[in-house]
Coordinates of all heavy atoms in Angstrom, one line a residue:
M1 N 6.1 -18.9 -26.9 CA 7.0 -17.9 -26.5 C 8.4 -18.2 -27.1 O 9.3 -17.4 -27.1 CB 7.1 -18.0 -25.0 CG 8.0 -16.9 -24.5 SD 7.6 -16.4 -22.9 CE 9.1 -15.5 -22.5
G2 N 8.5 -19.4 -27.7 CA 9.8 -19.7 -28.3 C 9.9 -19.2 -29.8 O 10.7 -19.8 -30.5
Q3 N 9.2 -18.2 -30.1 CA 9.3 -17.7 -31.5 C 10.6 -16.8 -31.7 O 11.0 -16.1 -30.8 CB 8.1 -16.8 -31.9 CG 6.9 -17.7 -32.0 CD 5.7 -16.8 -32.4 OE1 5.7 -15.6 -32.1 NE2 4.7 -17.3 -33.1
R4 N 11.1 -16.9 -32.9 CA 12.3 -16.1 -33.2 C 11.9 -14.7 -33.6 O 10.7 -14.5 -34.1 CB 13.1 -16.8 -34.3 CG 13.6 -18.1 -33.9 CD 14.5 -18.7 -35.0 NE 14.0 -18.4 -36.3 CZ 14.2 -19.2 -37.4 NH1 14.8 -20.3 -37.3 NH2 13.7 -18.8 -38.5
P5 N 12.8 -13.8 -33.5 CA 12.4 -12.4 -33.8 C 12.0 -12.2 -35.3 O 11.1 -11.4 -35.6 CB 13.7 -11.6 -33.6 CG 14.4 -12.4 -32.5 CD 14.1 -13.8 -32.8
D6 N 12.5 -13.0 -36.2 CA 12.1 -12.9 -37.6 C 10.7 -13.5 -37.8 O 10.0 -13.0 -38.7 CB 13.2 -13.5 -38.5 CG 13.4 -15.0 -38.3 OD1 13.2 -15.4 -37.1 OD2 13.7 -15.7 -39.2
Q7 N 10.3 -14.5 -37.1 CA 9.0 -15.0 -37.2 C 8.0 -14.0 -36.6 O 6.9 -13.8 -37.2 CB 8.8 -16.3 -36.3 CG 9.5 -17.5 -37.0 CD 9.4 -18.7 -36.0 OE1 9.4 -18.6 -34.8 NE2 9.3 -19.9 -36.7
I8 N 8.3 -13.3 -35.5 CA 7.5 -12.3 -34.9 C 7.3 -11.1 -35.9 O 6.2 -10.6 -36.1 CB 8.0 -11.8 -33.6 CG1 8.0 -13.0 -32.6 CG2 7.2 -10.6 -33.1 CD1 8.7 -12.7 -31.3
E9 N 8.4 -10.7 -36.5 CA 8.4 -9.6 -37.5 C 7.5 -10.0 -38.7 O 6.7 -9.2 -39.2 CB 9.8 -9.3 -38.0 CG 9.9 -8.1 -38.9 CD 9.4 -6.8 -38.2 OE1 9.7 -6.7 -37.0 OE2 8.8 -6.0 -38.8
T10 N 7.6 -11.2 -39.2 CA 6.7 -11.7 -40.3 C 5.2 -11.7 -39.9 O 4.4 -11.2 -40.7 CB 7.1 -13.1 -40.7 OG1 8.5 -13.1 -41.1 CG2 6.3 -13.6 -41.9
E11 N 4.9 -12.1 -38.7 CA 3.5 -12.1 -38.2 C 3.0 -10.7 -38.1 O 1.9 -10.4 -38.4 CB 3.4 -12.9 -36.9 CG 3.6 -14.4 -37.0 CD 3.4 -15.1 -35.7 OE1 3.0 -14.5 -34.7 OE2 3.8 -16.3 -35.7
M12 N 3.9 -9.8 -37.6 CA 3.5 -8.4 -37.5 C 3.2 -7.8 -38.8 O 2.2 -7.0 -39.0 CB 4.6 -7.6 -36.7 CG 4.8 -8.0 -35.3 SD 4.0 -7.1 -34.1 CE 4.5 -5.5 -34.3
E13 N 4.0 -8.1 -39.8 CA 3.8 -7.6 -41.2 C 2.5 -8.1 -41.7 O 1.7 -7.4 -42.4 CB 5.0 -8.0 -42.0 CG 5.0 -7.3 -43.4 CD 5.0 -5.8 -43.4 OE1 5.6 -5.2 -42.5 OE2 4.3 -5.2 -44.2
D14 N 2.2 -9.4 -41.5 CA 0.9 -10.0 -41.9 C -0.3 -9.3 -41.3 O -1.3 -9.0 -42.0 CB 0.9 -11.5 -41.6 CG 1.9 -12.3 -42.5 OD1 2.3 -11.8 -43.5 OD2 2.1 -13.5 -42.1
L15 N -0.1 -9.0 -40.0 CA -1.2 -8.3 -39.3 C -1.4 -6.9 -39.9 O -2.5 -6.4 -40.0 CB -1.0 -8.3 -37.8 CG -1.1 -9.6 -37.1 CD1 -0.7 -9.4 -35.6 CD2 -2.6 -10.1 -37.1
R16 N -0.3 -6.2 -40.2 CA -0.4 -4.9 -40.8 C -1.1 -5.0 -42.1 O -1.9 -4.1 -42.5 CB 1.0 -4.3 -40.9 CG 1.5 -3.7 -39.7 CD 2.8 -2.9 -39.9 NE 3.6 -2.9 -38.7 CZ 4.7 -3.6 -38.5 NH1 5.2 -4.3 -39.5 NH2 5.4 -3.5 -37.4
H17 N -0.8 -6.0 -42.9 CA -1.4 -6.1 -44.2 C -2.9 -6.4 -44.1 O -3.7 -5.8 -44.8 CB -0.7 -7.3 -45.0 CG -1.3 -7.5 -46.3 ND1 -1.2 -6.6 -47.4 CD2 -2.0 -8.6 -46.8 CE1 -1.8 -7.1 -48.4 NE2 -2.3 -8.3 -48.1
E18 N -3.3 -7.3 -43.1 CA -4.7 -7.6 -42.9 C -5.4 -6.3 -42.4 O -6.6 -6.1 -42.8 CB -4.8 -8.7 -41.9 CG -4.5 -10.0 -42.4 CD -4.6 -11.1 -41.3 OE1 -5.4 -11.0 -40.4 OE2 -3.9 -12.1 -41.4
T19 N -4.8 -5.5 -41.6 CA -5.4 -4.3 -41.1 C -5.6 -3.3 -42.3 O -6.6 -2.7 -42.4 CB -4.4 -3.6 -40.0 OG1 -4.2 -4.5 -39.0 CG2 -5.1 -2.4 -39.5
D20 N -4.6 -3.2 -43.2 CA -4.8 -2.4 -44.3 C -5.9 -2.8 -45.2 O -6.7 -2.0 -45.7 CB -3.5 -2.4 -45.2 CG -2.4 -1.5 -44.6 OD1 -2.7 -0.7 -43.7 OD2 -1.2 -1.7 -45.0
L21 N -6.1 -4.1 -45.4 CA -7.2 -4.7 -46.2 C -8.5 -4.3 -45.5 O -9.5 -3.9 -46.2 CB -7.1 -6.2 -46.3 CG -5.9 -6.7 -47.2 CD1 -5.9 -8.2 -47.2 CD2 -6.1 -6.1 -48.6
I22 N -8.6 -4.5 -44.2 CA -9.9 -4.1 -43.5 C -10.2 -2.7 -43.6 O -11.3 -2.3 -43.9 CB -9.8 -4.6 -42.0 CG1 -9.7 -6.1 -41.9 CG2 -10.9 -4.0 -41.2 CD1 -9.4 -6.7 -40.6
L23 N -9.2 -1.8 -43.4 CA -9.4 -0.4 -43.5 C -9.7 0.1 -44.9 O -10.6 1.0 -45.1 CB -8.1 0.4 -43.0 CG -7.9 0.2 -41.5 CD1 -6.5 0.9 -41.2 CD2 -9.0 0.9 -40.7
D24 N -9.2 -0.6 -45.9 CA -9.5 -0.3 -47.3 C -11.0 -0.6 -47.6 O -11.7 0.1 -48.2 CB -8.7 -1.0 -48.3 CG -7.2 -0.5 -48.4 OD1 -7.0 0.7 -47.9 OD2 -6.4 -1.2 -48.9
E25 N -11.4 -1.8 -47.0 CA -12.8 -2.2 -47.2 C -13.8 -1.2 -46.4 O -14.8 -0.8 -46.9 CB -13.0 -3.6 -46.7 CG -14.4 -4.1 -46.9 CD -14.9 -4.3 -48.3 OE1 -14.0 -4.3 -49.2 OE2 -16.1 -4.4 -48.5
L26 N -13.4 -0.8 -45.3 CA -14.1 0.1 -44.5 C -14.3 1.5 -45.2 O -15.4 2.0 -45.3 CB -13.5 0.4 -43.1 CG -14.2 1.4 -42.2 CD1 -15.5 0.9 -41.8 CD2 -13.3 1.6 -41.0
S27 N -13.2 1.9 -45.8 CA -13.2 3.2 -46.5 C -14.1 3.1 -47.8 O -14.7 4.1 -48.2 CB -11.9 3.8 -46.8 OG -11.2 2.9 -47.7
R28 N -14.1 1.9 -48.4 CA -14.9 1.7 -49.6 C -16.4 1.7 -49.2 O -17.2 2.2 -49.9 CB -14.5 0.4 -50.2 CG -15.2 0.2 -51.6 CD -14.8 -1.2 -52.1 NE -15.4 -2.3 -51.4 CZ -16.7 -2.7 -51.5 NH1 -17.5 -2.0 -52.3 NH2 -17.2 -3.7 -50.9
R29 N -16.7 1.1 -48.0 CA -18.1 1.0 -47.7 C -18.7 2.2 -47.0 O -19.9 2.4 -46.9 CB -18.3 -0.2 -46.7 CG -18.1 -1.5 -47.4 CD -18.4 -2.6 -46.4 NE -18.2 -3.9 -47.0 CZ -18.7 -5.0 -46.5 NH1 -19.4 -5.0 -45.4 NH2 -18.5 -6.1 -47.2
T30 N -17.9 3.1 -46.5 CA -18.4 4.3 -45.9 C -18.2 5.5 -46.8 O -17.6 5.5 -47.8 CB -17.6 4.6 -44.5 OG1 -16.2 4.7 -44.8 CG2 -17.9 3.4 -43.6
N31 N -18.7 6.6 -46.3 CA -18.6 7.9 -47.0 C -17.1 8.3 -47.2 O -16.4 8.5 -46.2 CB -19.3 9.0 -46.3 CG -19.5 10.2 -47.1 OD1 -18.8 10.4 -48.1 ND2 -20.4 11.1 -46.6
P32 N -16.6 8.4 -48.4 CA -15.2 8.7 -48.7 C -14.8 10.1 -48.2 O -13.7 10.4 -48.0 CB -15.1 8.6 -50.2 CG -16.4 8.7 -50.7 CD -17.4 8.2 -49.7
Q33 N -15.8 11.0 -47.9 CA -15.4 12.3 -47.3 C -15.0 12.2 -45.9 O -14.3 13.0 -45.4 CB -16.6 13.2 -47.4 CG -17.0 13.6 -48.8 CD -18.2 14.5 -48.9 OE1 -18.9 14.7 -47.9 NE2 -18.5 15.0 -50.0
N34 N -15.5 11.2 -45.2 CA -15.2 11.0 -43.7 C -13.9 10.2 -43.4 O -13.3 10.5 -42.4 CB -16.4 10.4 -43.0 CG -17.6 11.2 -43.2 OD1 -17.5 12.4 -43.4 ND2 -18.8 10.6 -43.0
I35 N -13.6 9.3 -44.3 CA -12.4 8.5 -44.0 C -11.5 8.6 -45.2 O -11.9 8.3 -46.3 CB -12.8 7.0 -43.8 CG1 -13.6 6.9 -42.5 CG2 -11.6 6.1 -43.6 CD1 -14.1 5.5 -42.1
R36 N -10.3 9.0 -45.0 CA -9.3 9.1 -46.1 C -8.1 8.3 -45.8 O -7.7 8.2 -44.6 CB -8.9 10.5 -46.3 CG -10.1 11.4 -46.7 CD -9.6 12.8 -47.0 NE -10.7 13.6 -47.2 CZ -10.9 14.9 -46.8 NH1 -9.9 15.4 -46.1 NH2 -11.9 15.6 -47.1
Q37 N -7.6 7.6 -46.7 CA -6.4 6.8 -46.5 C -5.2 7.7 -46.5 O -5.0 8.6 -47.4 CB -6.3 5.8 -47.7 CG -5.2 4.8 -47.5 CD -5.5 3.8 -46.3 OE1 -6.6 3.6 -46.0 NE2 -4.5 3.2 -45.8
A38 N -4.3 7.6 -45.6 CA -3.1 8.4 -45.5 C -2.1 7.9 -46.4 O -1.3 7.0 -46.1 CB -2.6 8.5 -44.0
A39 N -2.1 8.4 -47.7 CA -1.3 7.8 -48.7 C 0.2 8.2 -48.6 O 1.1 7.4 -48.8 CB -1.8 8.2 -50.1
S40 N 0.4 9.5 -48.3 CA 1.8 9.9 -48.2 C 2.5 9.5 -47.0 O 3.6 8.9 -47.1 CB 1.8 11.5 -48.4 OG 1.1 12.0 -47.3
S41 N 2.0 9.7 -45.8 CA 2.7 9.4 -44.6 C 2.4 7.9 -44.1 O 3.3 7.4 -43.5 CB 2.4 10.4 -43.5 OG 1.0 10.3 -43.2
R42 N 1.3 7.4 -44.5 CA 0.9 6.0 -44.1 C 1.0 5.9 -42.6 O 1.5 4.9 -42.1 CB 1.8 4.9 -44.8 CG 1.6 4.9 -46.3 CD 0.3 4.3 -46.7 NE 0.1 3.0 -46.2 CZ -1.0 2.3 -46.3 NH1 -2.0 2.9 -46.9 NH2 -1.1 1.1 -45.8
V43 N 0.5 6.8 -41.9 CA 0.7 6.9 -40.4 C 0.5 5.5 -39.8 O -0.6 5.1 -39.5 CB -0.4 7.9 -39.8 CG1 -0.2 8.0 -38.3 CG2 -0.3 9.2 -40.5
A44 N 1.6 4.9 -39.5 CA 1.7 3.6 -38.9 C 0.9 2.6 -39.7 O 0.4 1.6 -39.1 CB 1.3 3.6 -37.5
G45 N 0.6 2.8 -41.0 CA -0.1 1.8 -41.8 C -1.6 1.8 -41.5 O -2.3 0.9 -41.8
R46 N -2.1 2.9 -41.0 CA -3.6 2.9 -40.6 C -4.2 4.1 -41.4 O -3.6 5.0 -41.8 CB -3.7 3.1 -39.1 CG -3.3 1.9 -38.4 CD -3.7 1.9 -36.9 NE -3.5 0.7 -36.3 CZ -2.4 0.4 -35.7 NH1 -1.4 1.2 -35.6 NH2 -2.2 -0.8 -35.1
A47 N -5.5 4.1 -41.4 CA -6.3 5.1 -42.0 C -6.4 6.3 -41.1 O -6.4 6.1 -39.9 CB -7.7 4.7 -42.5
V48 N -6.5 7.5 -41.6 CA -6.7 8.7 -40.8 C -8.2 9.0 -40.9 O -8.7 9.2 -42.0 CB -5.9 9.8 -41.2 CG1 -6.2 11.1 -40.4 CG2 -4.4 9.5 -41.1
I49 N -8.9 9.1 -39.8 CA -10.3 9.5 -39.8 C -10.4 11.0 -39.6 O -9.9 11.5 -38.6 CB -11.0 8.7 -38.7 CG1 -10.9 7.2 -38.9 CG2 -12.5 9.2 -38.6 CD1 -11.6 6.4 -37.8
H50 N -11.0 11.7 -40.5 CA -11.2 13.1 -40.5 C -12.5 13.5 -39.9 O -13.5 12.7 -40.2 CB -11.0 13.7 -41.8 CG -9.6 13.6 -42.4 ND1 -8.6 14.4 -42.0 CD2 -9.0 12.6 -43.2 CE1 -7.5 14.0 -42.6 NE2 -7.7 12.9 -43.3
Q51 N -12.6 14.6 -39.3 CA -13.9 15.1 -38.8 C -14.7 15.5 -40.0 O -14.2 15.8 -41.1 CB -13.7 16.3 -37.9 CG -12.9 16.0 -36.7 CD -13.7 16.1 -35.5 OE1 -14.8 16.7 -35.5 NE2 -13.3 15.4 -34.4
R52 N -16.0 15.4 -39.9 CA -16.9 15.8 -40.9 C -16.7 17.3 -41.2 O -16.3 18.1 -40.3 CB -18.4 15.6 -40.6 CG -18.8 14.2 -40.5 CD -20.2 14.1 -40.2 NE -20.6 12.7 -40.1 CZ -21.7 12.2 -40.7 NH1 -22.5 13.0 -41.3 NH2 -21.9 11.0 -40.6
S53 N -17.0 17.7 -42.4 CA -16.8 19.1 -42.8 C -17.8 19.9 -41.9 O -18.9 19.5 -41.5 CB -17.0 19.3 -44.3 OG -18.3 19.0 -44.6
E54 N -17.5 21.2 -41.7 CA -18.3 22.0 -40.8 C -19.7 22.2 -41.3 O -20.6 22.2 -40.4 CB -17.6 23.4 -40.7 CG -18.0 24.1 -39.4 CD -16.9 24.9 -38.8 OE1 -15.8 24.4 -38.8 OE2 -17.3 26.0 -38.4
P55 N -20.0 22.4 -42.6 CA -21.4 22.6 -42.9 C -22.3 21.4 -42.5 O -23.4 21.6 -42.1 CB -21.4 22.7 -44.5 CG -20.1 23.2 -44.8 CD -19.2 22.6 -43.7
N56 N -21.8 20.2 -42.6 CA -22.5 19.0 -42.2 C -22.8 19.0 -40.7 O -23.8 18.7 -40.2 CB -21.9 17.7 -42.6 CG -21.9 17.4 -44.0 OD1 -22.8 18.0 -44.7 ND2 -21.0 16.6 -44.6
M57 N -21.7 19.4 -39.9 CA -21.9 19.5 -38.5 C -22.9 20.6 -38.1 O -23.7 20.5 -37.2 CB -20.5 19.8 -37.8 CG -19.5 18.7 -37.9 SD -20.1 17.2 -37.1 CE -19.7 17.7 -35.4
L58 N -22.8 21.7 -38.8 CA -23.8 22.8 -38.6 C -25.2 22.4 -38.8 O -26.1 22.6 -38.0 CB -23.4 24.0 -39.4 CG -24.3 25.2 -39.3 CD1 -24.3 25.8 -37.8 CD2 -23.9 26.3 -40.2
K59 N -25.4 21.7 -39.9 CA -26.8 21.2 -40.3 C -27.2 20.2 -39.2 O -28.4 20.2 -38.8 CB -26.7 20.5 -41.6 CG -26.7 21.4 -42.8 CD -26.6 20.6 -44.1 CE -26.5 21.5 -45.3 NZ -26.4 20.8 -46.5
R60 N -26.3 19.3 -38.7 CA -26.7 18.4 -37.7 C -27.1 19.1 -36.4 O -28.1 18.8 -35.8 CB -25.6 17.4 -37.5 CG -25.9 16.3 -36.5 CD -24.7 15.4 -36.3 NE -24.9 14.5 -35.3 CZ -25.4 13.2 -35.4 NH1 -25.7 12.8 -36.6 NH2 -25.5 12.5 -34.3
A61 N -26.3 20.1 -36.0 CA -26.6 20.9 -34.8 C -27.9 21.6 -34.9 O -28.7 21.7 -34.0 CB -25.5 21.9 -34.5
L62 N -28.2 22.2 -36.1 CA -29.5 22.9 -36.3 C -30.6 21.9 -36.3 O -31.7 22.2 -35.7 CB -29.4 23.6 -37.7 CG -28.6 24.8 -37.8 CD1 -28.5 25.4 -39.2 CD2 -29.1 25.9 -36.8
W63 N -30.4 20.7 -36.8 CA -31.5 19.7 -36.8 C -31.8 19.3 -35.3 O -32.9 19.2 -34.9 CB -31.1 18.5 -37.6 CG -32.1 17.4 -37.5 CD1 -31.9 16.2 -36.8 CD2 -33.5 17.4 -38.0 NE1 -33.1 15.5 -36.8 CE2 -34.0 16.1 -37.6 CE3 -34.2 18.2 -38.7 CZ2 -35.3 15.8 -37.9 CZ3 -35.5 17.9 -39.0 CH2 -36.1 16.7 -38.6
I64 N -30.7 19.1 -34.6 CA -30.9 18.7 -33.2 C -31.6 19.8 -32.4 O -32.6 19.5 -31.6 CB -29.6 18.3 -32.5 CG1 -29.0 17.0 -33.1 CG2 -29.7 18.2 -31.0 CD1 -27.6 16.7 -32.7
A65 N -31.2 21.0 -32.6 CA -31.9 22.2 -32.0 C -33.4 22.3 -32.4 O -34.2 22.5 -31.5 CB -31.1 23.5 -32.3
L66 N -33.6 22.1 -33.6 CA -35.0 22.2 -34.1 C -35.9 21.0 -33.5 O -37.0 21.3 -33.0 CB -35.1 22.1 -35.6 CG -36.4 22.2 -36.3 CD1 -37.1 23.5 -36.0 CD2 -36.3 21.9 -37.8
A67 N -35.3 19.8 -33.5 CA -36.1 18.7 -33.0 C -36.3 18.8 -31.5 O -37.4 18.6 -31.0 CB -35.3 17.4 -33.3
S68 N -35.3 19.3 -30.8 CA -35.4 19.5 -29.3 C -36.5 20.6 -29.0 O -37.3 20.4 -28.1 CB -34.1 19.9 -28.7 OG -33.2 18.9 -28.9
G69 N -36.4 21.7 -29.8 CA -37.4 22.8 -29.6 C -38.8 22.3 -29.9 O -39.7 22.6 -29.1
M70 N -39.0 21.6 -30.9 CA -40.3 21.1 -31.3 C -40.8 20.1 -30.2 O -42.0 20.1 -29.9 CB -40.3 20.5 -32.7 CG -40.1 21.5 -33.8 SD -41.2 22.8 -33.8 CE -42.7 22.0 -34.3
A71 N -39.9 19.2 -29.7 CA -40.3 18.3 -28.7 C -40.8 19.0 -27.4 O -41.8 18.7 -26.8 CB -39.2 17.3 -28.4
A72 N -40.0 20.1 -27.0 CA -40.4 20.9 -25.8 C -41.7 21.6 -26.0 O -42.5 21.6 -25.1 CB -39.2 21.8 -25.5
L73 N -41.8 22.2 -27.2 CA -43.1 22.9 -27.5 C -44.3 21.9 -27.5 O -45.3 22.2 -26.9 CB -43.0 23.6 -28.9 CG -44.1 24.4 -29.3 CD1 -44.4 25.6 -28.3 CD2 -43.9 25.0 -30.7
G74 N -44.1 20.8 -28.1 CA -45.2 19.8 -28.1 C -45.5 19.3 -26.8 O -46.7 19.1 -26.4
S75 N -44.5 19.1 -25.9 CA -44.8 18.7 -24.5 C -45.6 19.7 -23.8 O -46.5 19.4 -23.0 CB -43.4 18.4 -23.8 OG -43.7 18.1 -22.5
M76 N -45.2 21.0 -23.9 CA -45.9 22.1 -23.2 C -47.3 22.2 -23.7 O -48.3 22.3 -22.9 CB -45.2 23.4 -23.4 CG -43.9 23.5 -22.7 SD -42.8 25.0 -23.1 CE -43.9 26.2 -23.5
L77 N -47.5 22.1 -25.0 CA -48.8 22.2 -25.6 C -49.7 21.0 -25.2 O -50.9 21.2 -24.8 CB -48.7 22.2 -27.2 CG -50.0 22.5 -28.0 CD1 -50.5 23.9 -27.6 CD2 -49.7 22.4 -29.4
F78 N -49.1 19.8 -25.1 CA -49.9 18.6 -24.7 C -50.3 18.7 -23.3 O -51.4 18.4 -22.9 CB -48.9 17.4 -24.9 CG -49.6 16.1 -24.4 CD1 -50.5 15.5 -25.2 CD2 -49.2 15.5 -23.2 CE1 -51.1 14.3 -24.8 CE2 -49.8 14.4 -22.8 CZ -50.7 13.7 -23.5
R79 N -49.4 19.3 -22.4 CA -49.8 19.4 -21.0 C -50.9 20.4 -20.8 O -51.8 20.2 -20.0 CB -48.5 19.9 -20.2 CG -48.8 19.9 -18.7 CD -47.4 19.8 -18.0 NE -47.6 20.0 -16.6 CZ -47.8 19.1 -15.7 NH1 -48.0 17.8 -16.1 NH2 -47.9 19.4 -14.5
R80 N -50.9 21.5 -21.6 CA -52.0 22.5 -21.5 C -53.3 21.9 -21.9 O -54.3 22.1 -21.3 CB -51.6 23.7 -22.3 CG -50.8 24.7 -21.6 CD -50.8 26.0 -22.3 NE -49.9 26.9 -21.6 CZ -49.4 28.0 -22.0 NH1 -49.7 28.4 -23.3 NH2 -48.6 28.7 -21.3
I81 N -53.3 21.2 -23.1 CA -54.5 20.6 -23.6 C -55.1 19.6 -22.6 O -56.3 19.6 -22.3 CB -54.3 20.0 -25.0 CG1 -54.0 21.1 -26.0 CG2 -55.4 19.2 -25.4 CD1 -53.6 20.7 -27.4
T82 N -54.2 18.7 -22.1 CA -54.7 17.7 -21.2 C -55.2 18.4 -19.9 O -56.2 17.9 -19.3 CB -53.6 16.7 -20.8 OG1 -52.5 17.3 -20.4 CG2 -53.3 15.8 -22.0
A83 N -54.6 19.5 -19.4 CA -55.1 20.2 -18.2 C -56.5 20.7 -18.5 O -57.4 20.7 -17.6 CB -54.1 21.3 -17.8
Q84 N -56.7 21.3 -19.7 CA -58.0 21.9 -20.0 C -59.0 20.8 -20.1 O -60.2 20.9 -19.7 CB -57.9 22.7 -21.3 CG -57.2 24.0 -21.2 CD -57.1 24.7 -22.5 OE1 -57.4 24.2 -23.5 NE2 -56.6 26.0 -22.4
L85 N -58.7 19.6 -20.7 CA -59.6 18.5 -20.8 C -60.0 18.0 -19.4 O -61.1 17.7 -19.1 CB -59.0 17.4 -21.6 CG -58.9 17.6 -23.1 CD1 -58.1 16.5 -23.8 CD2 -60.3 17.7 -23.7
W86 N -59.0 17.9 -18.5 CA -59.2 17.5 -17.1 C -60.2 18.4 -16.4 O -61.1 18.0 -15.8 CB -57.9 17.4 -16.4 CG -58.1 16.9 -15.0 CD1 -58.3 17.7 -13.9 CD2 -58.1 15.6 -14.5 NE1 -58.4 16.9 -12.8 CE2 -58.3 15.6 -13.1 CE3 -57.9 14.3 -15.1 CZ2 -58.3 14.4 -12.3 CZ3 -57.9 13.2 -14.4 CH2 -58.1 13.2 -13.0
Q87 N -60.0 19.8 -16.6 CA -60.8 20.7 -15.9 C -62.2 20.7 -16.4 O -63.2 20.8 -15.7 CB -60.3 22.1 -16.2 CG -59.1 22.5 -15.2 CD -58.7 23.9 -15.4 OE1 -58.6 24.4 -16.5 NE2 -58.3 24.6 -14.3
S88 N -62.4 20.5 -17.7 CA -63.8 20.5 -18.3 C -64.5 19.2 -17.9 O -65.7 19.2 -17.7 CB -63.8 20.7 -19.8 OG -62.9 19.9 -20.4
A89 N -63.7 18.1 -17.8 CA -64.4 16.8 -17.4 C -64.6 16.7 -15.9 O -65.7 16.2 -15.5 CB -63.5 15.7 -17.9
M90 N -63.7 17.1 -15.1 CA -63.8 16.9 -13.6 C -64.2 18.2 -12.9 O -64.4 18.1 -11.7 CB -62.4 16.5 -13.1 CG -61.9 15.2 -13.7 SD -63.0 13.8 -13.3 CE -62.3 12.5 -14.1
H91 N -64.2 19.3 -13.5 CA -64.6 20.6 -12.9 C -63.7 20.9 -11.7 O -64.1 21.4 -10.7 CB -66.0 20.6 -12.5 CG -67.0 20.4 -13.6 ND1 -67.1 21.3 -14.6 CD2 -67.8 19.3 -13.9 CE1 -68.0 20.8 -15.5 NE2 -68.4 19.6 -15.1
E92 N -62.4 20.6 -11.8 CA -61.4 20.9 -10.8 C -60.0 21.0 -11.5 O -59.9 20.5 -12.6 CB -61.4 19.8 -9.7 CG -61.0 18.4 -10.2 CD -61.0 17.4 -9.1 OE1 -61.9 17.4 -8.2 OE2 -60.1 16.5 -9.1
E93 N -59.1 21.5 -10.7 CA -57.7 21.6 -11.2 C -57.1 20.2 -11.4 O -57.4 19.3 -10.6 CB -56.9 22.4 -10.2 CG -57.2 23.9 -10.2 CD -56.8 24.6 -11.4 OE1 -55.7 24.3 -12.0 OE2 -57.5 25.4 -11.9
P94 N -56.3 20.0 -12.4 CA -55.6 18.7 -12.5 C -54.6 18.5 -11.3 O -54.1 19.5 -10.8 CB -54.9 18.8 -13.8 CG -54.8 20.2 -14.2 CD -55.9 20.9 -13.4
P95 N -54.3 17.3 -11.0 CA -53.4 17.0 -9.9 C -52.0 17.5 -10.3 O -51.6 17.5 -11.4 CB -53.4 15.5 -9.8 CG -54.4 15.0 -10.7 CD -54.9 16.1 -11.5
R96 N -51.3 18.0 -9.3 CA -49.9 18.5 -9.5 C -49.0 17.4 -9.1 O -49.3 16.6 -8.2 CB -49.7 19.8 -8.7 CG -50.6 20.9 -9.1 CD -50.2 21.5 -10.4 NE -51.1 22.5 -10.8 CZ -51.3 22.9 -12.0 NH1 -50.5 22.4 -13.0 NH2 -52.2 23.9 -12.3
R97 N -47.8 17.5 -9.6 CA -46.7 16.5 -9.2 C -46.4 16.6 -7.8 O -46.2 17.4 -7.1 CB -45.5 16.7 -10.1 CG -45.7 16.4 -11.5 CD -44.4 16.4 -12.2 NE -44.4 17.3 -13.3 CZ -43.4 17.6 -14.0 NH1 -42.2 17.0 -13.8 NH2 -43.4 18.4 -15.1

């Protein structure tokens, strides 16, 4: 707690520099379309994370809808087939929930 204001300022600057290095590495390792470095404004020395472009979001939403629909259809089909198998094997209605 006995640090002087200039020592604190130096440590803060070092932390900002380390943060910039980490963010640069992160942006290098990830898709450059999703993370862009704020070069002009340097918003508090941090990277600005942008939302994905709309076509990618649309494709993702369509994929989720398709997968969900197929899962629901498959579940309904599986239940019908198992009910028919039960009826033909046991000669009675399958148990209900």
Side-chain angles (χ1 to χ4, degrees):
M1 186 153 168
Q3 291 182 331
R4 296 186 325 213
D6 59 333
Q7 287 176 326
I8 294 172
E9 186 63 36
T10 303
E11 288 180 14
M12 296 266 301
E13 188 60 37
D14 290 343
L15 287 174
R16 282 189 204 107
H17 179 69
E18 287 178 27
T19 303
D20 284 343
L21 291 175
I22 291 169
L23 291 172
D24 287 344
E25 183 65 18
L26 177 67
S27 66
R28 187 183 71 78
R29 289 185 180 198
T30 57
N31 188 344
Q33 293 176 351
N34 298 338
I35 297 179
R36 296 183 187 142
Q37 189 69 23
S40 59
S41 62
R42 297 288 301 174
V43 180
R46 293 193 170 92
V48 175
I49 298 175
H50 294 277
Q51 299 248 339
R52 289 180 180 226
S53 62
E54 201 147 320
N56 288 339
M57 292 296 284
L58 180 62
K59 286 179 184 178
R60 184 176 171 99
L62 287 173
W63 173 252
I64 290 171
L66 179 64
S68 298
M70 293 304 290
L73 182 63
S75 177
M76 289 171 30
L77 190 61
F78 178 77
R79 187 159 172 87
R80 276 198 183 158
I81 291 171
T82 54
Q84 287 177 352
L85 288 173
W86 180 271
Q87 278 183 324
S88 50
M90 300 296 178
H91 302 291
E92 63 182 38
E93 290 289 319
R96 299 287 175 197
R97 293 191 235 175

